[in-house]
Amino acid sequence: DFSDSVLKAIASRHNVCSQLHLPAQSGSSNVLKAMRRGYTREAYLDLVDHVRACVPNVCLSSDFIAGFCGESEEDHSDTLSLIKSVEYDQAFMYAYSVREKTHASRNYSDDVPSDIKQRRLSEIIAEFRRGALNRNIKNELNKIRVVLVEGESRKSRENNLLMTGRTDGNKRVVFPANVQVPASLDRCSPDSEVKVVPKIGDYIAVLITEVSGHTLQGVPLARTTLCEFSRKEFSHENERLREKN
């Protein structure tokens, strides 16, 4: 479904998010065939490689089901190895349960015991978290990201007010609230001398200082715009801000 023209648009346009959802469901070609997914493990991995070649900084999310009808330990191992190979940024992971009026409910037996489903699901979640943390350490830590401010963080406390927002890779970023920052990232702009407090709907340049598998934490540096942040002439400015902080 992802033509080269779509991937080219994602890579070249600063106002298009660099995030794609590629639902795998399983890493086993046998299970994918039983699910009637229409692709194999090999075809899926080829697609991932192609997407990342076209959009080098793309963030990928996926879906996985543990314990589908007839899933063997070997099939489960194939899923774990796929997750390890791809290193997703986000994933939605569930144990299989029967849904009425589906091909699986009419033709297959829900024959994987519940305790095995839960154990496999736990292993899938653990493998995903390892990969997501590795990617965040490699690709996000000490980087400056443009963040769309969404509101107050659930982690906010009276003595530690926090805001939250998302990067163009759909990664959540938490940063201190009520911090005055320059109104522009451009030092040549008159707005750079003006101080503002980030509010909902603003784009903020944030230096990422801590990472986990799901959330990034950082320091707000300046209000910006997608166009301003994307200009190549600001690459040196980003370096200056990183060194300053």
Side-chain angles (χ1 to χ4, degrees), residues 45-82:
L45 288 172
D46 286 345
L47 175 61
V48 169
D49 289 343
H50 182 63
V51 166
R52 284 183 166 158
C54 294
V55 191
N57 296 319
V58 70
C59 293
L60 299 180
S61 59
S62 193
D63 301 330
F64 288 96
I65 295 174
F68 186 75
C69 309
E71 182 186 71
S72 66
E73 286 297 331
E74 183 178 357
D75 294 327
H76 172 61
S77 294
D78 285 346
T79 296
L80 294 178
S81 68
L82 180 84

PDB file of all heavy atoms in Angstrom, residues 45-82:
ATOM      1  N   LEU A  45       9.621  -8.200   5.651  1.00  0.00           N
ATOM      2  CA  LEU A  45      10.943  -7.646   5.950  1.00  0.00           C
ATOM      3  C   LEU A  45      11.495  -6.868   4.769  1.00  0.00           C
ATOM      4  O   LEU A  45      12.175  -5.842   4.955  1.00  0.00           O
ATOM      5  CB  LEU A  45      11.899  -8.766   6.359  1.00  0.00           C
ATOM      6  CG  LEU A  45      11.644  -9.371   7.745  1.00  0.00           C
ATOM      7  CD1 LEU A  45      12.526 -10.589   7.970  1.00  0.00           C
ATOM      8  CD2 LEU A  45      11.882  -8.332   8.840  1.00  0.00           C
ATOM      9  N   ASP A  46      11.214  -7.315   3.556  1.00  0.00           N
ATOM     10  CA  ASP A  46      11.631  -6.559   2.367  1.00  0.00           C
ATOM     11  C   ASP A  46      10.964  -5.184   2.339  1.00  0.00           C
ATOM     12  O   ASP A  46      11.590  -4.179   1.978  1.00  0.00           O
ATOM     13  CB  ASP A  46      11.278  -7.325   1.085  1.00  0.00           C
ATOM     14  CG  ASP A  46      12.199  -8.508   0.831  1.00  0.00           C
ATOM     15  OD1 ASP A  46      13.274  -8.576   1.469  1.00  0.00           O
ATOM     16  OD2 ASP A  46      11.834  -9.367   0.009  1.00  0.00           O
ATOM     17  N   LEU A  47       9.683  -5.144   2.722  1.00  0.00           N
ATOM     18  CA  LEU A  47       8.969  -3.869   2.769  1.00  0.00           C
ATOM     19  C   LEU A  47       9.589  -2.943   3.813  1.00  0.00           C
ATOM     20  O   LEU A  47       9.786  -1.744   3.555  1.00  0.00           O
ATOM     21  CB  LEU A  47       7.490  -4.101   3.079  1.00  0.00           C
ATOM     22  CG  LEU A  47       6.636  -2.835   3.270  1.00  0.00           C
ATOM     23  CD1 LEU A  47       6.634  -1.982   2.001  1.00  0.00           C
ATOM     24  CD2 LEU A  47       5.221  -3.204   3.668  1.00  0.00           C
ATOM     25  N   VAL A  48       9.901  -3.468   4.990  1.00  0.00           N
ATOM     26  CA  VAL A  48      10.534  -2.658   6.033  1.00  0.00           C
ATOM     27  C   VAL A  48      11.856  -2.076   5.533  1.00  0.00           C
ATOM     28  O   VAL A  48      12.137  -0.882   5.703  1.00  0.00           O
ATOM     29  CB  VAL A  48      10.770  -3.499   7.305  1.00  0.00           C
ATOM     30  CG1 VAL A  48      11.663  -2.748   8.298  1.00  0.00           C
ATOM     31  CG2 VAL A  48       9.440  -3.851   7.959  1.00  0.00           C
ATOM     32  N   ASP A  49      12.675  -2.903   4.888  1.00  0.00           N
ATOM     33  CA  ASP A  49      13.962  -2.433   4.367  1.00  0.00           C
ATOM     34  C   ASP A  49      13.753  -1.338   3.327  1.00  0.00           C
ATOM     35  O   ASP A  49      14.491  -0.333   3.304  1.00  0.00           O
ATOM     36  CB  ASP A  49      14.744  -3.592   3.748  1.00  0.00           C
ATOM     37  CG  ASP A  49      15.262  -4.574   4.785  1.00  0.00           C
ATOM     38  OD1 ASP A  49      15.307  -4.209   5.979  1.00  0.00           O
ATOM     39  OD2 ASP A  49      15.612  -5.716   4.402  1.00  0.00           O
ATOM     40  N   HIS A  50      12.757  -1.517   2.462  1.00  0.00           N
ATOM     41  CA  HIS A  50      12.495  -0.532   1.410  1.00  0.00           C
ATOM     42  C   HIS A  50      12.014   0.787   2.008  1.00  0.00           C
ATOM     43  O   HIS A  50      12.468   1.865   1.591  1.00  0.00           O
ATOM     44  CB  HIS A  50      11.455  -1.077   0.433  1.00  0.00           C
ATOM     45  CG  HIS A  50      11.163  -0.154  -0.711  1.00  0.00           C
ATOM     46  ND1 HIS A  50      12.124   0.197  -1.634  1.00  0.00           N
ATOM     47  CD2 HIS A  50      10.023   0.501  -1.064  1.00  0.00           C
ATOM     48  CE1 HIS A  50      11.594   1.024  -2.525  1.00  0.00           C
ATOM     49  NE2 HIS A  50      10.326   1.230  -2.194  1.00  0.00           N
ATOM     50  N   VAL A  51      11.122   0.702   2.981  1.00  0.00           N
ATOM     51  CA  VAL A  51      10.609   1.918   3.628  1.00  0.00           C
ATOM     52  C   VAL A  51      11.751   2.681   4.288  1.00  0.00           C
ATOM     53  O   VAL A  51      11.878   3.910   4.140  1.00  0.00           O
ATOM     54  CB  VAL A  51       9.522   1.559   4.660  1.00  0.00           C
ATOM     55  CG1 VAL A  51       9.223   2.750   5.569  1.00  0.00           C
ATOM     56  CG2 VAL A  51       8.250   1.106   3.954  1.00  0.00           C
ATOM     57  N   ARG A  52      12.607   1.986   5.007  1.00  0.00           N
ATOM     58  CA  ARG A  52      13.706   2.663   5.699  1.00  0.00           C
ATOM     59  C   ARG A  52      14.765   3.198   4.746  1.00  0.00           C
ATOM     60  O   ARG A  52      15.432   4.192   5.042  1.00  0.00           O
ATOM     61  CB  ARG A  52      14.325   1.716   6.732  1.00  0.00           C
ATOM     62  CG  ARG A  52      13.446   1.585   7.977  1.00  0.00           C
ATOM     63  CD  ARG A  52      14.044   0.727   9.047  1.00  0.00           C
ATOM     64  NE  ARG A  52      13.321   0.907  10.314  1.00  0.00           N
ATOM     65  CZ  ARG A  52      13.319   0.041  11.305  1.00  0.00           C
ATOM     66  NH1 ARG A  52      14.012  -1.104  11.191  1.00  0.00           N
ATOM     67  NH2 ARG A  52      12.639   0.276  12.410  1.00  0.00           N
ATOM     68  N   ALA A  53      14.911   2.565   3.587  1.00  0.00           N
ATOM     69  CA  ALA A  53      15.831   3.092   2.587  1.00  0.00           C
ATOM     70  C   ALA A  53      15.286   4.394   1.983  1.00  0.00           C
ATOM     71  O   ALA A  53      16.049   5.320   1.694  1.00  0.00           O
ATOM     72  CB  ALA A  53      16.059   2.061   1.485  1.00  0.00           C
ATOM     73  N   CYS A  54      13.972   4.458   1.819  1.00  0.00           N
ATOM     74  CA  CYS A  54      13.334   5.653   1.237  1.00  0.00           C
ATOM     75  C   CYS A  54      13.165   6.768   2.255  1.00  0.00           C
ATOM     76  O   CYS A  54      13.270   7.948   1.916  1.00  0.00           O
ATOM     77  CB  CYS A  54      11.975   5.288   0.648  1.00  0.00           C
ATOM     78  SG  CYS A  54      12.030   4.184  -0.774  1.00  0.00           S
ATOM     79  N   VAL A  55      12.875   6.395   3.510  1.00  0.00           N
ATOM     80  CA  VAL A  55      12.640   7.379   4.577  1.00  0.00           C
ATOM     81  C   VAL A  55      13.549   6.996   5.752  1.00  0.00           C
ATOM     82  O   VAL A  55      13.111   6.309   6.677  1.00  0.00           O
ATOM     83  CB  VAL A  55      11.158   7.397   5.020  1.00  0.00           C
ATOM     84  CG1 VAL A  55      10.897   8.595   5.925  1.00  0.00           C
ATOM     85  CG2 VAL A  55      10.220   7.399   3.821  1.00  0.00           C
ATOM     86  N   PRO A  56      14.808   7.428   5.739  1.00  0.00           N
ATOM     87  CA  PRO A  56      15.792   6.942   6.719  1.00  0.00           C
ATOM     88  C   PRO A  56      15.401   7.155   8.177  1.00  0.00           C
ATOM     89  O   PRO A  56      15.735   6.336   9.036  1.00  0.00           O
ATOM     90  CB  PRO A  56      17.050   7.751   6.368  1.00  0.00           C
ATOM     91  CG  PRO A  56      16.876   8.096   4.916  1.00  0.00           C
ATOM     92  CD  PRO A  56      15.408   8.312   4.721  1.00  0.00           C
ATOM     93  N   ASN A  57      14.687   8.231   8.503  1.00  0.00           N
ATOM     94  CA  ASN A  57      14.348   8.519   9.901  1.00  0.00           C
ATOM     95  C   ASN A  57      12.934   8.091  10.270  1.00  0.00           C
ATOM     96  O   ASN A  57      12.387   8.543  11.282  1.00  0.00           O
ATOM     97  CB  ASN A  57      14.517  10.023  10.166  1.00  0.00           C
ATOM     98  CG  ASN A  57      15.957  10.472  10.010  1.00  0.00           C
ATOM     99  OD1 ASN A  57      16.880   9.777  10.432  1.00  0.00           O
ATOM    100  ND2 ASN A  57      16.157  11.618   9.396  1.00  0.00           N
ATOM    101  N   VAL A  58      12.332   7.231   9.469  1.00  0.00           N
ATOM    102  CA  VAL A  58      10.943   6.841   9.712  1.00  0.00           C
ATOM    103  C   VAL A  58      10.810   6.076  11.032  1.00  0.00           C
ATOM    104  O   VAL A  58      11.706   5.329  11.434  1.00  0.00           O
ATOM    105  CB  VAL A  58      10.417   5.985   8.545  1.00  0.00           C
ATOM    106  CG1 VAL A  58      11.081   4.613   8.525  1.00  0.00           C
ATOM    107  CG2 VAL A  58       8.896   5.854   8.591  1.00  0.00           C
ATOM    108  N   CYS A  59       9.697   6.306  11.716  1.00  0.00           N
ATOM    109  CA  CYS A  59       9.348   5.541  12.905  1.00  0.00           C
ATOM    110  C   CYS A  59       8.265   4.531  12.523  1.00  0.00           C
ATOM    111  O   CYS A  59       7.308   4.891  11.832  1.00  0.00           O
ATOM    112  CB  CYS A  59       8.837   6.454  14.013  1.00  0.00           C
ATOM    113  SG  CYS A  59      10.087   7.573  14.678  1.00  0.00           S
ATOM    114  N   LEU A  60       8.415   3.305  12.961  1.00  0.00           N
ATOM    115  CA  LEU A  60       7.494   2.242  12.580  1.00  0.00           C
ATOM    116  C   LEU A  60       6.740   1.702  13.797  1.00  0.00           C
ATOM    117  O   LEU A  60       7.318   1.507  14.864  1.00  0.00           O
ATOM    118  CB  LEU A  60       8.247   1.087  11.912  1.00  0.00           C
ATOM    119  CG  LEU A  60       8.997   1.411  10.618  1.00  0.00           C
ATOM    120  CD1 LEU A  60       9.687   0.158  10.093  1.00  0.00           C
ATOM    121  CD2 LEU A  60       8.062   1.987   9.572  1.00  0.00           C
ATOM    122  N   SER A  61       5.455   1.467  13.600  1.00  0.00           N
ATOM    123  CA  SER A  61       4.640   0.802  14.619  1.00  0.00           C
ATOM    124  C   SER A  61       4.015  -0.443  13.996  1.00  0.00           C
ATOM    125  O   SER A  61       3.982  -0.593  12.768  1.00  0.00           O
ATOM    126  CB  SER A  61       3.557   1.736  15.152  1.00  0.00           C
ATOM    127  OG  SER A  61       2.700   2.169  14.115  1.00  0.00           O
ATOM    128  N   SER A  62       3.510  -1.342  14.852  1.00  0.00           N
ATOM    129  CA  SER A  62       2.964  -2.591  14.339  1.00  0.00           C
ATOM    130  C   SER A  62       1.968  -3.189  15.321  1.00  0.00           C
ATOM    131  O   SER A  62       1.791  -2.684  16.439  1.00  0.00           O
ATOM    132  CB  SER A  62       4.087  -3.597  14.063  1.00  0.00           C
ATOM    133  OG  SER A  62       3.614  -4.695  13.294  1.00  0.00           O
ATOM    134  N   ASP A  63       1.300  -4.264  14.880  1.00  0.00           N
ATOM    135  CA  ASP A  63       0.381  -5.047  15.707  1.00  0.00           C
ATOM    136  C   ASP A  63       0.900  -6.483  15.776  1.00  0.00           C
ATOM    137  O   ASP A  63       1.398  -7.012  14.773  1.00  0.00           O
ATOM    138  CB  ASP A  63      -1.028  -5.091  15.102  1.00  0.00           C
ATOM    139  CG  ASP A  63      -1.646  -3.716  14.937  1.00  0.00           C
ATOM    140  OD1 ASP A  63      -1.314  -2.826  15.730  1.00  0.00           O
ATOM    141  OD2 ASP A  63      -2.463  -3.545  14.017  1.00  0.00           O
ATOM    142  N   PHE A  64       0.731  -7.110  16.938  1.00  0.00           N
ATOM    143  CA  PHE A  64       1.108  -8.517  17.078  1.00  0.00           C
ATOM    144  C   PHE A  64       0.075  -9.257  17.911  1.00  0.00           C
ATOM    145  O   PHE A  64      -0.460  -8.714  18.889  1.00  0.00           O
ATOM    146  CB  PHE A  64       2.492  -8.661  17.730  1.00  0.00           C
ATOM    147  CG  PHE A  64       3.607  -8.259  16.818  1.00  0.00           C
ATOM    148  CD1 PHE A  64       4.143  -6.983  16.890  1.00  0.00           C
ATOM    149  CD2 PHE A  64       4.096  -9.137  15.869  1.00  0.00           C
ATOM    150  CE1 PHE A  64       5.153  -6.581  16.032  1.00  0.00           C
ATOM    151  CE2 PHE A  64       5.114  -8.751  14.999  1.00  0.00           C
ATOM    152  CZ  PHE A  64       5.643  -7.472  15.085  1.00  0.00           C
ATOM    153  N   ILE A  65      -0.200 -10.497  17.514  1.00  0.00           N
ATOM    154  CA  ILE A  65      -1.121 -11.365  18.235  1.00  0.00           C
ATOM    155  C   ILE A  65      -0.345 -12.586  18.722  1.00  0.00           C
ATOM    156  O   ILE A  65       0.334 -13.256  17.940  1.00  0.00           O
ATOM    157  CB  ILE A  65      -2.280 -11.825  17.335  1.00  0.00           C
ATOM    158  CG1 ILE A  65      -3.135 -10.615  16.917  1.00  0.00           C
ATOM    159  CG2 ILE A  65      -3.141 -12.869  18.037  1.00  0.00           C
ATOM    160  CD1 ILE A  65      -4.216 -10.953  15.917  1.00  0.00           C
ATOM    161  N   ALA A  66      -0.441 -12.853  20.020  1.00  0.00           N
ATOM    162  CA  ALA A  66       0.215 -14.028  20.597  1.00  0.00           C
ATOM    163  C   ALA A  66      -0.783 -15.169  20.726  1.00  0.00           C
ATOM    164  O   ALA A  66      -1.916 -14.974  21.165  1.00  0.00           O
ATOM    165  CB  ALA A  66       0.776 -13.682  21.977  1.00  0.00           C
ATOM    166  N   GLY A  67      -0.360 -16.367  20.302  1.00  0.00           N
ATOM    167  CA  GLY A  67      -1.186 -17.553  20.514  1.00  0.00           C
ATOM    168  C   GLY A  67      -2.328 -17.717  19.538  1.00  0.00           C
ATOM    169  O   GLY A  67      -3.396 -18.235  19.905  1.00  0.00           O
ATOM    170  N   PHE A  68      -2.121 -17.329  18.283  1.00  0.00           N
ATOM    171  CA  PHE A  68      -3.151 -17.585  17.273  1.00  0.00           C
ATOM    172  C   PHE A  68      -3.329 -19.095  17.100  1.00  0.00           C
ATOM    173  O   PHE A  68      -2.440 -19.883  17.426  1.00  0.00           O
ATOM    174  CB  PHE A  68      -2.752 -16.950  15.940  1.00  0.00           C
ATOM    175  CG  PHE A  68      -3.807 -17.037  14.878  1.00  0.00           C
ATOM    176  CD1 PHE A  68      -4.926 -16.229  14.924  1.00  0.00           C
ATOM    177  CD2 PHE A  68      -3.688 -17.944  13.830  1.00  0.00           C
ATOM    178  CE1 PHE A  68      -5.912 -16.308  13.946  1.00  0.00           C
ATOM    179  CE2 PHE A  68      -4.660 -18.040  12.847  1.00  0.00           C
ATOM    180  CZ  PHE A  68      -5.777 -17.217  12.908  1.00  0.00           C
ATOM    181  N   CYS A  69      -4.468 -19.479  16.585  1.00  0.00           N
ATOM    182  CA  CYS A  69      -4.811 -20.904  16.421  1.00  0.00           C
ATOM    183  C   CYS A  69      -3.678 -21.680  15.741  1.00  0.00           C
ATOM    184  O   CYS A  69      -3.231 -21.312  14.659  1.00  0.00           O
ATOM    185  CB  CYS A  69      -6.085 -21.039  15.595  1.00  0.00           C
ATOM    186  SG  CYS A  69      -7.454 -20.024  16.169  1.00  0.00           S
ATOM    187  N   GLY A  70      -3.232 -22.747  16.398  1.00  0.00           N
ATOM    188  CA  GLY A  70      -2.203 -23.602  15.816  1.00  0.00           C
ATOM    189  C   GLY A  70      -0.793 -23.064  15.917  1.00  0.00           C
ATOM    190  O   GLY A  70       0.140 -23.695  15.402  1.00  0.00           O
ATOM    191  N   GLU A  71      -0.592 -21.943  16.570  1.00  0.00           N
ATOM    192  CA  GLU A  71       0.748 -21.364  16.668  1.00  0.00           C
ATOM    193  C   GLU A  71       1.656 -22.254  17.500  1.00  0.00           C
ATOM    194  O   GLU A  71       1.344 -22.596  18.649  1.00  0.00           O
ATOM    195  CB  GLU A  71       0.677 -19.973  17.298  1.00  0.00           C
ATOM    196  CG  GLU A  71       2.038 -19.274  17.387  1.00  0.00           C
ATOM    197  CD  GLU A  71       1.961 -17.967  18.150  1.00  0.00           C
ATOM    198  OE1 GLU A  71       1.779 -18.027  19.402  1.00  0.00           O
ATOM    199  OE2 GLU A  71       2.061 -16.897  17.530  1.00  0.00           O
ATOM    200  N   SER A  72       2.802 -22.616  16.933  1.00  0.00           N
ATOM    201  CA  SER A  72       3.774 -23.462  17.632  1.00  0.00           C
ATOM    202  C   SER A  72       4.829 -22.589  18.309  1.00  0.00           C
ATOM    203  O   SER A  72       4.891 -21.371  18.096  1.00  0.00           O
ATOM    204  CB  SER A  72       4.454 -24.404  16.643  1.00  0.00           C
ATOM    205  OG  SER A  72       5.254 -23.660  15.727  1.00  0.00           O
ATOM    206  N   GLU A  73       5.691 -23.223  19.092  1.00  0.00           N
ATOM    207  CA  GLU A  73       6.791 -22.488  19.719  1.00  0.00           C
ATOM    208  C   GLU A  73       7.736 -21.942  18.649  1.00  0.00           C
ATOM    209  O   GLU A  73       8.302 -20.853  18.803  1.00  0.00           O
ATOM    210  CB  GLU A  73       7.549 -23.384  20.697  1.00  0.00           C
ATOM    211  CG  GLU A  73       6.809 -23.660  21.986  1.00  0.00           C
ATOM    212  CD  GLU A  73       6.546 -22.393  22.803  1.00  0.00           C
ATOM    213  OE1 GLU A  73       7.335 -21.422  22.715  1.00  0.00           O
ATOM    214  OE2 GLU A  73       5.539 -22.365  23.538  1.00  0.00           O
ATOM    215  N   GLU A  74       7.905 -22.700  17.578  1.00  0.00           N
ATOM    216  CA  GLU A  74       8.750 -22.218  16.481  1.00  0.00           C
ATOM    217  C   GLU A  74       8.137 -20.972  15.832  1.00  0.00           C
ATOM    218  O   GLU A  74       8.848 -20.010  15.507  1.00  0.00           O
ATOM    219  CB  GLU A  74       8.947 -23.312  15.432  1.00  0.00           C
ATOM    220  CG  GLU A  74       9.882 -22.900  14.300  1.00  0.00           C
ATOM    221  CD  GLU A  74      10.104 -24.010  13.299  1.00  0.00           C
ATOM    222  OE1 GLU A  74       9.578 -25.124  13.503  1.00  0.00           O
ATOM    223  OE2 GLU A  74      10.817 -23.766  12.292  1.00  0.00           O
ATOM    224  N   ASP A  75       6.827 -20.998  15.642  1.00  0.00           N
ATOM    225  CA  ASP A  75       6.149 -19.827  15.091  1.00  0.00           C
ATOM    226  C   ASP A  75       6.338 -18.613  16.004  1.00  0.00           C
ATOM    227  O   ASP A  75       6.602 -17.502  15.542  1.00  0.00           O
ATOM    228  CB  ASP A  75       4.647 -20.097  14.937  1.00  0.00           C
ATOM    229  CG  ASP A  75       4.334 -21.162  13.899  1.00  0.00           C
ATOM    230  OD1 ASP A  75       5.077 -21.256  12.903  1.00  0.00           O
ATOM    231  OD2 ASP A  75       3.352 -21.910  14.113  1.00  0.00           O
ATOM    232  N   HIS A  76       6.191 -18.843  17.292  1.00  0.00           N
ATOM    233  CA  HIS A  76       6.370 -17.772  18.271  1.00  0.00           C
ATOM    234  C   HIS A  76       7.801 -17.233  18.225  1.00  0.00           C
ATOM    235  O   HIS A  76       8.019 -16.009  18.278  1.00  0.00           O
ATOM    236  CB  HIS A  76       6.039 -18.289  19.669  1.00  0.00           C
ATOM    237  CG  HIS A  76       6.360 -17.333  20.776  1.00  0.00           C
ATOM    238  ND1 HIS A  76       5.786 -16.083  20.876  1.00  0.00           N
ATOM    239  CD2 HIS A  76       7.222 -17.447  21.840  1.00  0.00           C
ATOM    240  CE1 HIS A  76       6.257 -15.465  21.936  1.00  0.00           C
ATOM    241  NE2 HIS A  76       7.124 -16.264  22.536  1.00  0.00           N
ATOM    242  N   SER A  77       8.768 -18.116  18.110  1.00  0.00           N
ATOM    243  CA  SER A  77      10.172 -17.691  18.007  1.00  0.00           C
ATOM    244  C   SER A  77      10.392 -16.836  16.771  1.00  0.00           C
ATOM    245  O   SER A  77      11.183 -15.880  16.796  1.00  0.00           O
ATOM    246  CB  SER A  77      11.103 -18.904  17.975  1.00  0.00           C
ATOM    247  OG  SER A  77      11.059 -19.610  19.201  1.00  0.00           O
ATOM    248  N   ASP A  78       9.694 -17.170  15.679  1.00  0.00           N
ATOM    249  CA  ASP A  78       9.787 -16.354  14.463  1.00  0.00           C
ATOM    250  C   ASP A  78       9.270 -14.940  14.709  1.00  0.00           C
ATOM    251  O   ASP A  78       9.812 -13.959  14.171  1.00  0.00           O
ATOM    252  CB  ASP A  78       8.992 -17.004  13.328  1.00  0.00           C
ATOM    253  CG  ASP A  78       9.685 -18.210  12.728  1.00  0.00           C
ATOM    254  OD1 ASP A  78      10.894 -18.394  12.992  1.00  0.00           O
ATOM    255  OD2 ASP A  78       9.020 -18.982  12.007  1.00  0.00           O
ATOM    256  N   THR A  79       8.211 -14.829  15.504  1.00  0.00           N
ATOM    257  CA  THR A  79       7.686 -13.496  15.832  1.00  0.00           C
ATOM    258  C   THR A  79       8.691 -12.708  16.664  1.00  0.00           C
ATOM    259  O   THR A  79       8.945 -11.524  16.400  1.00  0.00           O
ATOM    260  CB  THR A  79       6.355 -13.618  16.592  1.00  0.00           C
ATOM    261  OG1 THR A  79       5.376 -14.218  15.738  1.00  0.00           O
ATOM    262  CG2 THR A  79       5.852 -12.253  17.044  1.00  0.00           C
ATOM    263  N   LEU A  80       9.288 -13.349  17.660  1.00  0.00           N
ATOM    264  CA  LEU A  80      10.284 -12.671  18.490  1.00  0.00           C
ATOM    265  C   LEU A  80      11.472 -12.210  17.651  1.00  0.00           C
ATOM    266  O   LEU A  80      11.976 -11.089  17.826  1.00  0.00           O
ATOM    267  CB  LEU A  80      10.767 -13.602  19.603  1.00  0.00           C
ATOM    268  CG  LEU A  80       9.737 -13.993  20.662  1.00  0.00           C
ATOM    269  CD1 LEU A  80      10.360 -14.954  21.674  1.00  0.00           C
ATOM    270  CD2 LEU A  80       9.175 -12.770  21.365  1.00  0.00           C
ATOM    271  N   SER A  81      11.908 -13.046  16.724  1.00  0.00           N
ATOM    272  CA  SER A  81      13.068 -12.678  15.904  1.00  0.00           C
ATOM    273  C   SER A  81      12.730 -11.551  14.932  1.00  0.00           C
ATOM    274  O   SER A  81      13.579 -10.703  14.629  1.00  0.00           O
ATOM    275  CB  SER A  81      13.603 -13.898  15.152  1.00  0.00           C
ATOM    276  OG  SER A  81      12.691 -14.334  14.161  1.00  0.00           O
ATOM    277  N   LEU A  82      11.482 -11.503  14.460  1.00  0.00           N
ATOM    278  CA  LEU A  82      11.064 -10.405  13.592  1.00  0.00           C
ATOM    279  C   LEU A  82      11.088  -9.091  14.364  1.00  0.00           C
ATOM    280  O   LEU A  82      11.606  -8.072  13.874  1.00  0.00           O
ATOM    281  CB  LEU A  82       9.660 -10.657  13.053  1.00  0.00           C
ATOM    282  CG  LEU A  82       9.121  -9.568  12.116  1.00  0.00           C
ATOM    283  CD1 LEU A  82       9.612  -9.809  10.700  1.00  0.00           C
ATOM    284  CD2 LEU A  82       7.602  -9.511  12.141  1.00  0.00           C
TER     285      LEU A  82
END
